[in-house]
Amino acid sequence: MKANFALAAPGAQGKKAAAYILTALLVGVLIVIALSGHASLGWRLALAILVAAVVASYAMPTFGKYLRKRIYWYTGTFFVALALNFLLPRLIPGNPVDIILQDVLAGITDSSAATALKNQYIAQLGLDKSILEQFFRYTGNLFKGELGMSLYLAQPVAKILASKIPWSVAIMLPSILVGWLAGNLLGAYAAYKKGIYEKVIFPVSLFLSSIPSFIFSMLMLLWLGVSWGWFPVLGGFDAQIISKQSGVYYMSLLSHWALPFISQTLIVIGGQAIGMRSMALYELNVDYVLFAKLQGIRDRKVTRYVFRNAMLPQVSGLALSLGGMVAGSTLIEIVFSYPGLGQQLMMAIRNVDYPLISGCTLVISITMLVANLLIDIIYGLIDPRVRTAQAEEG
Amino acid sequence: MSDTMLMVNDLKTYYRTRLKENVYAVDGVSFGLERGKVLGIAGESGCGKSTLSLSLMGFYFPPLHFGSGSILLNGNDIMKLPYETLRKDYLGKQIAYIPQAAMNALNPTRRIRRYVVDVLTEHDTGLDEKAMLNLAREKLSFLNLPDRVLDAYPGELSGGMKQRTVIALSTLLNPSVLIADEPSSALDVSSQKVVMEMLRKMLRESQVQSMIFITHELPLLRHVADHIAVMYAGEFVEWGTAEQVIFDPIHPYSHALMGSIIVPEEGMKSHSLSCIPGAPPNLKNVPKGCRFAERCTYITPECRAENQVMTTLPDGRQYRCRFSQEALRDMYAKEVPANA
Ligand SMILES: Nc1ncnc2c1ncn2[C@@H]1O[C@H](COP(=O)(O)OP(=O)(O)OP(=O)(O)O)[C@@H](O)[C@H]1O
Ligand SMILES: [Mg+2]
């Protein structure tokens, strides 16, 4: 989670220079691809935004430098992520063809026929080519905006992703927003009011944030779903319903959504409240509070200083969890058998479905990187401490 | 025009810990401070110097609590004022405070100019924003700081500049009393001298009417203070002019302290005060008798039996010991000089 800060602090001067050269090379490649006429609209758009941002950054002295540095770093990171997206699925033991042909091969007794069939599939899927060649084909297609076909489901990866992402977002977006807001208010309240509030809020939040989230979700599932039967426990809607326009269908969507939403929200509340409480407690005891109070500044104003400062790290927490939204929903989706991207990724891994795994992780990497970049930009704008640190570093 | 700026009478304050124990960190302190004077307070770490300076502000919040006594600022007992009056008309206006960790005394996310406005709007100065900033500029240039400090965030200032900025901010309204709690402890020696010099200059030019200067580096006090109070375990054990206390201490604790710094400052700069063997009593539960008794070379059974009161000599000096000053001086004279 702290990766962005590690990126911000490259060690030696030489390492920095090497990173710049590498990034420049990669950006060059990107531009060549974009101009070659094969790139998809999305890529051209992304590239245009990046170039515009870099050009615009020259208009702003300190912040511009900071901004450029961020952009270079994230572009570099993106290419590394791209390579890993390609490579990691291929490190999974097992072979996609074996899995696809599992049932067919079981019926064939002639081993040479089986081998022939397998080889035919392997050639068809392009898996007989060298890994480097596969990689270039993968990236080439990627820049044309093609994510390939799922090996196992025999559907375009893009289509699968498009149908799964809304489910994940439907759980995560509201629970992150609601949980973040509620958690911070509770945490701030606990820190400020102390006494009974703290005695209740703090241990409950501590419990929520320290129990592994999948265990907590399973407990929720067990109590609210199975034992008390308040909510359905499986899937995204009732499969018996035929018409997808009916009110019954929407009610079913809602009732299936409620339990994972509630579990996830509680988990977020716990973590945020703990974080906010300790930030606020820390800030309440720092020296500037004492000095401001003894200068006669009214309590309300000093409290505002404190919460603004305590809030800043929390804002980055929010952006981070929004960026990690898709990845973060995996556990919840598995526990509640919710048909989102996380569950799909899980299945893709089980089926050694290279293009689908790469597609899922690509979505995750991009959202993560964009969120991190946005945090850094927003942070650099609103927190002078970060700005100064950046100016000194550069 | 009264020339007494601050009159403190038998002030007792204590911390209430989470375990509901009381730490009596200031236990019956009395003194007066005149216009144009600097009172230096010295004592080893933990004796209650910071607590005393905080207590003098008259504004208490947990864990610090007011016990008893009075604090007269320009003749008004600030402990009897409603909080709002104290905040508006006294804190930061008549009595100002520079905290021990002045480096971190500024809100890191607020530009100095906005902080200046925040402070001045609290005190019914009748100034508009422009006038407020002009006032701040004057103070800054008085302390040799450039105007651009106003537009800076605290993080953009160097340590020494931050220090001076804090001084400028705390003296915006020309306070009657400025309490500086080790304002220079984080600085190098030459910056320390600069800070001292500036504080003296502020006093000379009546930007500040009087000052309390706290430190555990006694050599510093020699050049800054008019009077020195030596504090031990929540009490003053000696009070006198700087010359008297440094060159002719009466109380055995002061004597032991000064004995360690008589050597010229060069090469002995940061001689620690705690080189007297033993430890001060726990302030949660102060034993009966003289608080210094257990560490005192001249201890007698009576020292443990009865509490010591301040003795005031005809020339105004005060000390807290059952022996007469002549008896003490005799004992010191007989002692073989430690550094001989
Ligand atoms: N918040 C607190 N709660 C309880 N006890 C405290 C608190 N702050 C200080 N004390 C105690 O009060 C006593 C006086 O502390 P104080 O900070 O005034 O010492 P000091 O003389 O300023 O020391 P130093 O030279 O190290 O700054 C110490 O025994 C300390 O342990
Ligand atoms: Mg102190």
Side-chain angles (χ1 to χ4, degrees):
Chain A
M1 277 301 192
K2 288 273 180 274
N4 57 327
F5 295 113
L7 286 177
Q13 207 66 14
K15 251 201 286 182
K16 225 156 135 184
Y20 279 138
I21 294 170
L22 196 67
T23 339
L25 270 178
L26 290 169
V27 172
V29 172
L30 199 66
I31 291 173
V32 170
I33 295 172
L35 297 181
S36 70
H38 293 295
S40 71
L41 192 65
W43 287 110
R44 289 186 194 192
L45 209 66
L47 192 68
I49 292 175
L50 279 189
V51 171
V54 171
V55 170
S57 75
Y58 282 97
M60 299 167 276
T62 344
F63 183 68
K65 195 167 163 194
Y66 167 76
L67 183 68
R68 270 197 306 287
K69 236 161 97 177
R70 302 282 76 183
I71 290 177
Y72 294 150
W73 272 105
Y74 282 109
T75 317
T77 313
F78 172 72
F79 282 100
V80 174
L82 210 60
L84 289 177
N85 282 340
F86 171 80
L87 201 63
L88 288 180
R90 285 162 175 79
L91 296 178
I92 303 171
N95 185 324
V97 176
D98 286 339
I99 290 172
I100 299 167
L101 295 179
Q102 217 165 26
D103 298 338
V104 188
L105 289 176
I108 299 176
T109 42
D110 179 357
S111 77
S112 71
T115 315
L117 186 63
K118 254 169 83 171
N119 286 341
Q120 184 199 336
Y121 260 84
I122 287 175
Q124 204 177 331
L125 297 176
L127 299 177
D128 55 342
K129 307 260 181 359
S130 77
I131 197 102
L132 213 61
E133 209 178 325
Q134 288 186 49
F135 179 64
F136 283 123
R137 224 173 53 170
Y138 167 75
T139 39
N141 284 337
L142 203 58
F143 286 111
K144 279 188 247 160
E146 284 162 22
L147 294 171
M149 295 283 280
S150 158
L151 301 182
Y152 190 78
L153 300 173
Q155 281 179 24
V157 169
K159 204 176 132 206
I160 299 174
L161 295 181
S163 72
K164 292 298 179 182
I165 289 174
W167 293 97
S168 301
V169 172
I171 295 291
M172 296 304 280
L173 187 62
S175 62
I176 290 172
L177 292 179
V178 172
W180 185 84
L181 206 67
N184 279 300
L185 287 176
L186 286 174
Y189 213 67
Y192 191 61
K193 288 280 173 192
K194 307 238 165 66
I196 188 76
Y197 299 98
E198 189 168 28
K199 291 209 173 73
V200 176
I201 294 172
F202 181 58
V204 171
S205 311
L206 198 62
F207 169 76
L208 284 174
S209 68
S210 52
I211 183 172
S213 62
F214 67 95
I215 291 189
F216 178 72
S217 322
M218 282 199 269
L219 289 177
M220 294 286 286
L221 181 85
L222 221 60
W223 290 331
L224 301 185
V226 179
S227 302
W228 299 349
W230 289 1
F231 299 101
V233 296
L234 202 101
F237 56 91
D238 190 343
Q240 314 264 298
I241 300 168
I242 317 242
S243 159
K244 300 219 157 172
Q245 297 302 322
S246 62
V248 189
Y249 173 68
Y250 288 114
M251 279 315 292
S252 145
L253 275 184
L254 196 66
S255 66
H256 282 79
W257 171 84
L259 196 49
F261 166 74
I262 294 171
S263 316
Q264 185 62 27
T265 307
L266 288 175
I267 292 167
V268 177
I269 287 181
Q272 291 296 329
I274 292 291
M276 183 61 186
R277 175 184 167 272
S278 59
M279 271 319 292
L281 276 183
Y282 169 76
E283 290 281 342
L284 277 170
N285 284 314
V286 292
D287 300 300
Y288 72 77
V289 172
L290 182 68
F291 186 58
K293 278 185 179 172
L294 292 180
Q295 289 247 81
I297 295 183
R298 67 193 64 208
D299 229 33
R300 211 157 7 100
K301 191 149 214 166
V302 178
T303 314
R304 224 179 303 147
Y305 288 178
V306 166
F307 286 111
R308 189 193 132 97
N309 292 351
M311 214 51 210
L312 290 170
Q314 300 298 100
V315 170
S316 91
L318 173 67
L320 258 184
S321 22
L322 287 176
M325 182 156 67
V326 184
S329 68
T330 308
L331 283 175
I332 278 282
E333 286 172 18
I334 290 170
V335 171
F336 293 99
S337 314
Y338 207 72
L341 193 75
Q343 210 203 12
Q344 188 67 64
L345 173 61
M346 192 63 198
M347 264 153 33
I349 293 175
R350 212 175 287 150
N351 296 330
V352 204
D353 193 342
Y354 298 152
L356 189 51
I357 301 174
S358 298
C360 291
T361 50
L362 182 71
V363 171
I364 292 171
S365 339
I366 291 180
T367 46
M368 266 306 209
L369 285 174
V370 170
N372 267 297
L373 179 59
L374 287 179
I375 300 167
D376 284 354
I377 292 174
I378 295 171
Y379 228 68
L381 281 176
I382 60 177
D383 193 334
R385 288 169 291 192
V386 175
R387 220 182 307 164
T388 324
Q390 274 302 326
E392 278 160 10
E393 196 189 290
Chain B
M1 185 172 70
S2 150
D3 261 10
T4 303
M5 306 269 69
L6 190 65
M7 196 69 193
V8 179
N9 213 329
D10 203 22
L11 181 64
K12 296 188 180 187
T13 69
Y14 59 92
Y15 290 105
R16 185 125 240 243
T17 66
R18 286 178 82 94
L19 306 169
K20 306 282 179 248
E21 290 170 316
N22 290 347
V23 180
Y24 300 95
V26 173
D27 205 10
V29 167
S30 308
F31 67 91
L33 180 62
E34 315 243 293
R35 180 184 299 279
K37 299 286 188 219
V38 178
L39 170 65
I41 300 179
E44 65 196 341
S45 188
C47 70
K49 303 182 299 293
S50 294
T51 313
L52 174 62
S53 50
L54 205 58
S55 303
L56 291 176
M57 302 297 292
F59 175 31
Y60 293 78
F61 42 90
L64 184 61
H65 297 271
F66 176 68
S68 60
S70 63
I71 304 168
L72 280 97
L73 181 59
N74 291 323
N76 302 313
D77 188 347
I78 56 174
M79 290 316 303
K80 295 216 167 77
L81 298 172
Y83 169 66
E84 270 302 296
T85 317
L86 176 72
R87 183 179 73 73
K88 270 197 165 127
D89 298 340
Y90 289 82
L91 294 182
K93 192 172 182 181
Q94 295 194 44
I95 184 163
Y97 177 77
I98 303 175
Q100 186 160 5
M103 291 297 163
N104 308 319
L106 298 171
N107 181 354
T109 62
R110 214 156 173 79
R111 285 184 204 277
I112 307 295
R113 66 159 63 234
R114 298 197 46 201
Y115 185 78
V116 166
V117 174
D118 284 353
V119 171
L120 291 178
T121 35
E122 298 288 356
H123 295 297
D124 295 334
T125 50
L127 301 173
D128 63 1
E129 199 168 316
K130 211 169 142 216
M132 289 176 182
L133 293 174
N134 279 334
L135 180 63
R137 264 183 218 111
E138 265 169 44
K139 281 286 169 197
L140 289 173
S141 73
F142 188 83
L143 289 165
N144 293 337
L145 287 165
D147 282 0
R148 70 175 169 81
V149 167
L150 277 182
D151 288 311
Y153 287 100
E156 296 166 353
L157 304 174
S158 75
M161 285 170 87
K162 231 184 280 184
Q163 187 85 44
R164 278 179 281 155
T165 307
V166 170
I167 295 175
L169 291 171
S170 54
T171 54
L172 278 173
L173 293 168
N174 294 350
S176 306
V177 179
L178 175 67
I179 304 173
D181 189 356
E182 308 212 30
S184 58
S185 54
L187 300 176
D188 59 85
V189 184
S190 62
S191 316
Q192 277 183 10
K193 290 223 169 91
V194 174
V195 168
M196 297 299 148
E197 193 35 55
M198 279 174 175
L199 288 173
R200 283 237 68 125
K201 192 171 144 208
M202 299 199 101
L203 202 63
R204 269 200 311 275
E205 305 196 5
S206 292
Q207 308 248 355
V208 170
Q209 309 308 322
S210 65
M211 240 170 73
I212 294 176
F213 193 94
I214 291 173
T215 183
H216 58 252
E217 285 186 38
L218 275 161
L220 279 177
L221 284 185
R222 210 173 116 196
H223 304 291
V224 181
D226 298 293
H227 290 97
I228 292 179
V230 177
M231 197 167 180
Y232 184 80
E235 297 177 329
F236 279 0
V237 294
E238 178 153 4
W239 185 93
T241 65
E243 290 288 304
Q244 289 170 336
V245 176
I246 290 181
F247 294 109
D248 176 32
I250 298 179
H251 192 276
Y253 176 65
S254 324
H255 177 74
L257 281 187
M258 305 310 160
S260 62
I261 58 138
I262 279 305
V263 190
E265 294 129 64
E266 285 79 29
M268 290 277 307
K269 194 199 97 264
S270 57
H271 208 109
S272 157
L273 292 188
S274 52
C275 57
I276 303 165
N282 187 339
L283 292 175
K284 278 177 198 159
N285 208 337
V286 190
K288 200 170 152 53
C290 170
R291 296 183 179 192
F292 186 59
E294 298 307 323
R295 299 167 79 184
C296 188
T297 326
Y298 317 106
I299 182 172
T300 64
E302 290 85 351
C303 294
R304 289 207 183 92
E306 53 202 71
N307 286 339
Q308 282 310 317
V309 291
M310 272 295 205
T311 310
T312 307
L313 298 175
D315 63 353
R317 291 188 69 171
Q318 300 177 355
Y319 70 99
R320 194 185 288 271
C321 183
R322 56 182 295 274
F323 290 112
S324 71
Q325 60 164 328
E326 291 78 16
L328 285 165
R329 272 191 238 284
D330 276 354
M331 290 192 275
Y332 299 153
K334 276 190 217 124
E335 196 178 57
V336 189
N339 302 344

